[in-house]
Amino acid sequence: MPVGLLLLELEIPDREIRLKRLRFRSWHRGTKEADLLVGGFYDRYSAGWNDEEITWFEALMHEEDVEIMAWAIGTMPVPERASGPMMIAMQKLDYIAVEK
């Protein structure tokens, strides 16, 4: 295999690896509230994500938990970089199990 192709394969992980990394990162945010919000969103929707949606979620993982939570519950405006159908789905909050 040419070196260029080998490097390309090392730099761009396949879908399964990307999703495994995202699952870990979404459930290890730093607070239980963020874990439930971000991890719950991941668990509910990730199986149907295309590459663009995976890339959006990867970018979201670089944001601060406080900001993600504020965008999701509507206490802070969503910046352009995070807006769109994925954030709209996150704002529904219908993926978080509430124990009674």
Side-chain angles (χ1 to χ4, degrees):
M1 175 178 297
V3 174
L5 289 178
L6 179 60
L7 288 176
L8 183 61
E9 287 181 14
L10 292 175
E11 292 173 9
I12 303 173
D14 69 13
R15 175 185 171 81
E16 184 178 332
I17 292 170
R18 291 172 74 192
L19 287 172
K20 284 181 181 180
R21 287 179 185 164
L22 287 174
R23 182 176 197 295
F24 181 85
R25 291 187 66 199
S26 68
W27 279 104
H28 295 86
R29 299 299 301 168
T31 66
K32 184 171 183 166
E33 294 83 357
D35 290 350
L36 291 171
L37 184 127
V38 179
F41 182 80
Y42 173 89
D43 285 352
R44 176 77 170 271
Y45 295 107
S46 64
W49 289 345
N50 60 34
D51 286 341
E52 183 179 330
E53 292 165 328
I54 292 171
T55 299
W56 179 89
F57 198 76
E58 286 170 332
L60 187 73
M61 294 298 92
H62 293 284
E63 301 288 350
E64 296 292 326
D65 292 346
V66 172
E67 292 178 350
I68 295 170
M69 292 172 62
W71 300 335
I73 64 173
T75 58
M76 199 167 119
V78 180
E80 186 66 32
R81 69 183 179 274
S83 65
M86 295 278 283
M87 182 54 69
I88 291 168
M90 183 174 273
Q91 290 172 327
K92 291 180 183 174
L93 301 175
D94 61 352
Y95 49 87
I96 300 174
V98 178
E99 295 181 24
K100 296 181 181 186

